[in-house]
Amino acid sequence: MPAQAPAPSRRHAKLTFAGIATGNLLVLLDTSILNVAVPDVQKSLHPATAALPWAVDAYTVVFAGLLLAGGVIADRWGARRVYAAALGLFAALSAVCAAAPNVGALIGGRALLGAAGAGLVPASLALLIHLNPEPARRTRAIGAWTALSGLGAAAGPVLGGALVELGGWRLVFLVNPPIAVAALLLARRLPVPPLRATRPLDRPGLALSTAGLALLTFGLVEAGIEGWGSPRALVPIVAALLCFVAVAVVERRVPAPVLPPALLALPKVRAAMVAAAVSCFAYFGGMYLFAVWLQHTYDLTPFKAGLASLPLAFPVCVMPFFTGRLVARYGSRPILLTGMSASVVSGVLLALCTGHHPPLPLILAAELTLAATGTLSIPGAAAAVAVSAPPEYAATSQGALNGIRQAGSALGVAVLGTLGSLTTSGYVLIGIGLLAVLLVANATAAHDI
């Protein structure tokens, strides 16, 4: 095992933390920044109607499918090495996307960007966990990491709209390389978590789980485009379920499963994964729903549509600072349950949005409660997993958590984006939110988390 570099001094810890958070900001920025640029892409590249949504969704499919693999790779070959390599690739591939001559090249570039993002997220969290070994300090750091990373989600629609109006959709990608360079400079003294090279690599489990997550996300996205009865949606979803069944069979026969059973045996981890999936379903599905609905209903420009999403996006930049402190003080259980309850409240408010032009205060209240779902449950779930997972599985556990989060996001966009109606979406959120409250409460009933 190679010798570890000394841990960063307190003098450099804040800069190192900023570098880790800035790299993750890029990942969230690219989940939303292209949404408002889609009409400009259509005018510029003249893609087929069926191909256009994949300019956005290719990123999500590959990102979700490879997150677990990215976590395993970071644990095995070193979070610092994987983080730096993924960050460099993200910068280079962003320039490739900006130069795409046609929609096929753009879709391919977006898919490769998703692969780079899948390396960034679990590696960045593993580095953060190593940088903050004390549990209470770690939960606060994760809250701050989530808040700073949330700048990407908040800035994406607004920045994307401004860049499109300034110079077209290609500028949306050219903003990434300078941010990536800044992240590398800030994080020059990244910590070096210990390698676990003696752990055997579970290649069958890794391949099956990666294929299952990718197929599931692909099918969910296609369901939102073609409808739930389309073979292009049903076939990959069924194939994904078969992959997950195969994973369950294969993992019983290998000495070091890709998703260690010890993780899933922990009530904290199970509750966190349910909360993460449902909160991302509600939050990102709601963000997409509002972006489309506001443009169609009020005929907004891309920039104005981005501004209209700020009540939903801006709290993500602020509240996770406090969420981390709340988890450190009270545990993650009440935080997760409050976040799930907020999704139910947002569903009730959306269900009341009847008519073509419902009252704007009602829409604002629905956006704010959806924001509460994201700002409580997402960092709360990450903190719960970070505290409970064994150190040797730091990146693996976060890769699994983020893979489930992305599947929830894709399902939210597919379901809420297909419905299009605020009222119907509200009823869906009520049902999903109530189910999540029951599952999280049941999973943690006998455990203080």
Side-chain angles (χ1 to χ4, degrees):
M1 179 182 297
Q4 291 188 49
S9 67
R10 288 187 178 273
R11 191 162 82 88
H12 296 95
K14 289 185 178 179
L15 287 177
T16 302
F17 168 79
I20 295 172
T22 302
N24 194 63
L25 177 148
L26 278 174
V27 177
L28 286 178
L29 186 69
D30 268 53
T31 60
S32 61
I33 194 170
L34 192 60
N35 290 350
V36 294
V38 167
D40 194 58
V41 172
Q42 189 171 21
K43 292 177 185 176
S44 173
L45 300 182
H46 307 290
T49 303
L52 186 61
W54 283 105
V56 176
D57 294 326
Y59 178 86
T60 304
V61 170
V62 176
F63 180 50
L66 292 180
L67 269 168
L68 181 56
V72 172
I73 291 169
D75 277 335
R76 185 175 176 85
W77 283 290
R80 177 179 178 174
R81 184 184 303 169
V82 171
Y83 180 79
L87 198 55
L89 280 173
F90 206 97
L93 290 168
S94 295
V96 170
C97 288
N102 53 57
V103 73
L106 179 59
I107 291 171
R110 287 279 290 173
L112 292 173
L113 268 182
L120 272 173
V121 173
S124 69
L125 271 166
L127 290 168
L128 186 65
I129 290 167
H130 184 70
L131 193 64
N132 298 275
E134 182 190 344
R137 185 176 155 199
R138 182 183 301 170
T139 56
R140 290 193 294 270
I142 288 176
W145 175 88
T146 305
L148 292 175
S149 303
L151 282 171
V158 179
L159 180 60
L163 290 172
V164 169
E165 293 190 14
L166 180 65
W169 66 269
R170 296 182 191 275
L171 289 182
V172 163
F173 293 104
L174 293 179
V175 76
N176 288 341
I179 297 175
V181 171
L184 284 172
L185 291 175
L186 286 170
R188 287 193 303 270
R189 297 193 180 186
L190 286 168
V192 184
L195 294 177
R196 308 288 171 175
T198 55
R199 182 189 173 202
L201 186 61
D202 176 19
R203 289 182 175 85
L206 193 59
L208 286 168
S209 59
T210 298
L213 283 170
L215 286 166
L216 177 62
T217 312
F218 181 94
L220 295 174
V221 171
E222 278 296 320
I225 298 170
E226 300 289 341
W228 289 93
S230 168
R232 287 175 61 86
L234 292 177
V235 170
I237 289 174
V238 171
L241 295 176
L242 292 176
C243 284
F244 293 140
V245 171
V247 167
V249 173
V250 169
E251 297 299 83
R252 295 178 180 178
R253 303 177 181 177
V254 295
V258 65
L259 188 58
L263 288 177
L264 296 179
L266 297 170
K268 291 181 181 181
V269 173
R270 295 200 303 271
M273 289 187 173
V274 170
V278 173
S279 60
C280 285
F281 175 96
Y283 181 78
F284 289 100
M287 179 178 284
Y288 181 86
L289 172 68
F290 278 116
V292 174
W293 184 84
L294 286 168
Q295 288 190 66
H296 286 171
T297 303
Y298 295 101
D299 196 25
L300 301 178
T301 66
F303 179 61
K304 289 180 179 178
L307 288 175
S309 71
L310 281 179
L312 182 58
F314 181 72
V316 178
C317 307
V318 180
M319 277 301 298
F321 283 108
F322 303 100
T323 302
R325 297 177 186 275
L326 291 171
V327 171
R329 183 169 182 177
Y330 300 109
S332 58
R333 185 176 193 263
I335 308 305
L336 296 180
L337 288 174
T338 303
M340 295 298 92
S341 299
S343 69
V344 177
V345 175
S346 67
V348 171
L349 293 171
L350 286 175
L352 296 175
C353 291
T354 56
H356 188 62
H357 288 84
L360 287 177
L362 192 60
I363 294 173
L364 176 61
E367 286 188 311
L368 290 174
T369 51
L370 275 177
T373 298
T375 55
L376 290 172
S377 299
I378 294 174
V385 172
V387 170
S388 61
E392 63 269 25
Y393 299 133
T396 298
S397 61
Q398 293 295 337
L401 178 68
N402 282 281
I404 288 173
R405 280 181 52 188
Q406 289 304 312
S409 300
L411 181 58
V413 171
V415 173
L416 301 185
T418 303
L419 294 174
S421 163
L422 297 185
T423 303
T424 307
S425 298
Y427 290 129
V428 171
L429 286 178
I430 291 170
I432 295 292
L434 287 173
L435 179 61
V437 168
L438 292 174
L439 289 174
V440 171
N442 181 66
T444 60
H447 300 271
D448 180 17
I449 73 166

